[in-house]
Amino acid sequence: MSHHYLKLSEFNLEGQFIGFVGETPGKFKYLQLALESENVQIKIPKELRQFLSLSLVPGEQIRVFGISKLDTHTGEIKLKAFGVTPIGVCPNQEIPLQQRKSPPKAKILVCQKSGCIKRGGKSFLSELEKMLSDHGLSDQVIIEQTGCFKCCKSAPNYILQIGTKEYKKIHPEAIVSLLQSYLS
């Protein structure tokens, strides 16, 4: 049975970030926001999940904007975020600057579907992680394991994103070299 959603309106909420909600640790889909009158659960798009897990601190004041939809079958209203911005940290949970995590400037997307795994994706991922660690770049790069890129003939598939540029099918040593020149 398919669900039919009816767009209600856009929302812009400010509140205290409580934490993440998900099926398994590290794979959350929602964030919880404490408002004056109630706590709400807001779905987070996949592309924001990794960044938010590294940057949000429970107790922090945040602004969430997105869209609300009505499930016409159940009558339930769903909230989906399109953006999350911190307003400030709760005074009793102030974090020293040197302990705050700055968002990584680079991301490597690695397909983890069976075709890519069978064609060397698993060994590529472990070689990449080792090389980044050996060169002290692990904390400056996000490695995100993804679904299929729909180009299985060229497996294993991965994309290096540095700033606004994307690089595909380059050797791990070249990735390290590019990252060193960009991040230094």
Side-chain angles (χ1 to χ4, degrees):
M1 179 166 147
S2 67
H3 286 277
H4 298 288
Y5 291 96
L6 178 64
K7 178 182 170 182
L8 291 180
S9 65
E10 294 181 5
F11 66 84
N12 186 349
L13 300 172
E14 287 184 17
Q16 186 177 36
F17 171 63
I18 299 171
F20 296 106
V21 179
E23 296 157 11
T24 56
K27 295 200 176 191
F28 59 84
K29 290 184 178 181
Y30 300 89
L31 68 77
Q32 285 190 314
L33 186 65
L35 304 173
E36 285 184 23
S37 57
E38 63 180 328
N39 291 351
V40 294
Q41 191 166 290
I42 303 170
K43 188 169 185 177
I44 307 168
K46 286 181 183 177
E47 59 273 8
L48 287 179
R49 292 175 189 168
Q50 182 75 31
F51 172 74
L52 292 177
S53 70
L54 296 172
S55 61
L56 288 182
V57 178
E60 185 174 17
Q61 291 294 116
I62 61 173
R63 176 177 291 119
V64 183
F65 55 92
I67 194 164
S68 62
K69 294 181 178 182
L70 173 68
D71 183 328
T72 56
H73 291 292
T74 65
E76 191 176 358
I77 294 176
K78 304 276 187 180
L79 301 176
K80 182 175 181 181
F82 291 123
V84 178
T85 55
I87 299 171
V89 177
C90 185
N92 62 349
Q93 293 188 358
E94 189 67 43
I95 299 169
L97 275 176
Q98 65 271 22
Q99 290 181 7
R100 292 187 190 185
K101 295 178 184 175
S102 60
K105 298 176 184 174
K107 184 190 290 191
I108 302 170
L109 308 172
V110 182
C111 176
Q112 291 297 287
K113 289 297 190 180
S114 61
C116 283
I117 294 287
K118 289 176 189 173
R119 293 186 180 118
K122 196 169 194 164
S123 60
F124 168 78
L125 185 59
S126 58
E127 180 184 356
L128 179 64
E129 288 172 339
K130 183 183 181 324
M131 290 188 80
L132 290 174
S133 176
D134 291 348
H135 290 87
L137 297 169
S138 297
D139 59 338
Q140 298 178 44
V141 180
I142 292 174
I143 297 178
E144 188 174 308
Q145 298 180 27
T146 69
C148 188
F149 291 154
K150 307 288 186 217
C151 48
C152 302
K153 289 181 181 179
S154 63
N157 291 297
Y158 48 91
I159 299 171
L160 168 63
Q161 297 176 331
I162 301 177
T164 59
K165 295 183 180 173
E166 287 190 349
Y167 303 89
K168 298 176 183 176
K169 301 299 288 180
I170 58 176
H171 193 272
E173 290 175 4
I175 290 175
V176 169
S177 178
L178 277 169
L179 288 170
Q180 286 175 326
S181 62
Y182 179 78
L183 298 172
S184 53

